[in-house]
Amino acid sequence: MTRLSVNINKVATLRNARGGNLPDLEQFARDCEAYGASGITVHPRPDERHVRRQDVYALKSLITTEFNIEGNPEQPFIDLVLDVRPEQVTLVPDAVDQLTSNHGWDTRAHLAKLTTIIQLFKRAGIRVSVFVDADPVMVEYAAKAGADRVELYTGPYADMYDKNPVQAIDMYRLAAEKARELGLGLNAGHDLNLRNLHAFVAAFPWVDEVSIGHALIADALYLGINETIKQYNNALSI
Ligand code: PXP
């Protein structure tokens, strides 16, 4: 079954709004695991506006499932990941002030840079996933760079799903099949939610992992985090 990694950045944003420790990010991560999450994802941005560097260290020592750290591999991020050694790092090409990730790597244009960085992380025993748009050429060059997995950017899937679900799936077919053909692991993330998640994994049951933050945390306001994780895990079962 596709694994659910809960992105807890939004919980850190809420905490940071008041400067104290409410909600408690570490307790939230523990609870997500207890309620059935298969992993925890964080995206520590350079301005520390949500998850901070010190959170990343604290979380590493308590997470018992799988820790995934996302970010743009500038030197401070590389140093942090090599120091913390999560199970997985996801390379995302977003700018410092970007609201949220909104595109994948041009893996062909950045082949040399990605190859060097991927080698560095793999030598440290960290699985490397590269965030790409749903383009088979980008998947192919991620494989050439030595990536273990690609994470398909599902923002356009979510936009299209509400208008035309069949077309939404079709937009991802070639990239998802290319990953499978090349023996790359497959992750997916961005704007996945309880409406559109099941159709995605039913169409591409070889998806290894989804990482979900915004919609999941919003659902938890109504359902509670325990029930929310149950419902996302149900949506993942096919
Ligand atoms: N994957 C990547 C690479 C991301 O940057 C994000 C957002 O931080 C997500 C997945 C999760 O997206 P969402 O918050 O829309 O579920």
Side-chain angles (χ1 to χ4, degrees), residues 133-150:
D133 295 334
D135 175 344
V137 177
M138 295 302 119
V139 173
E140 201 179 318
Y141 276 83
K144 283 196 176 134
D148 299 295
R149 293 189 184 182
V150 286

Side-chain angles (χ1 to χ4, degrees), residues 7 9-10 41 43 45 50 68 70-71 90-92 94 100-102 131 151-154 188-192 211-216:
N7 179 320
N9 263 35
K10 283 278 144 39
T41 292
H43 194 145
R45 292 181 191 266
H50 2 259
N68 175 42
E70 302 173 346
T90 301
L91 308 182
V92 183
D94 52 2
T100 182
S101 320
N102 63 4
F131 193 54
E151 176 178 330
L152 296 181
Y153 168 49
T154 46
H190 223 280
D191 294 324
L192 294 172
S211 77
I212 308 183
H214 188 75
L216 188 151

Side-chain angles (χ1 to χ4, degrees), residues 92-220:
V92 183
D94 52 2
V96 171
D97 54 353
Q98 205 159 313
L99 187 61
T100 182
S101 320
N102 63 4
H103 63 281
W105 287 94
D106 182 340
T107 50
R108 185 165 46 185
H110 293 103
L111 179 64
K113 171 184 169 158
L114 286 170
T115 303
T116 306
I117 294 166
I118 290 170
Q119 254 177 31
L120 200 63
F121 288 134
K122 283 174 72 168
R123 266 196 228 117
I126 303 166
R127 186 205 301 139
V128 185
S129 178
V130 175
F131 193 54
V132 292
D133 295 334
D135 175 344
V137 177
M138 295 302 119
V139 173
E140 201 179 318
Y141 276 83
K144 283 196 176 134
D148 299 295
R149 293 189 184 182
V150 286
E151 176 178 330
L152 296 181
Y153 168 49
T154 46
Y157 166 75
D159 284 345
M160 181 55 78
Y161 187 84
D162 291 331
K163 297 171 210 140
N164 185 336
V166 174
Q167 197 177 330
I169 293 294
D170 280 349
M171 284 161 42
Y172 282 71
R173 195 171 299 285
L174 291 179
E177 284 173 355
K178 178 58 79 179
R180 185 169 61 169
E181 177 193 318
L182 295 173
L184 280 179
L186 185 61
N187 295 345
H190 223 280
D191 294 324
L192 294 172
N193 59 42
L194 284 173
R195 284 193 315 283
N196 62 32
L197 179 60
H198 181 76
F200 195 83
V201 295
F204 311 119
W206 59 95
V207 172
D208 293 292
E209 178 187 294
V210 288
S211 77
I212 308 183
H214 188 75
L216 188 151
I217 301 300
D219 288 333

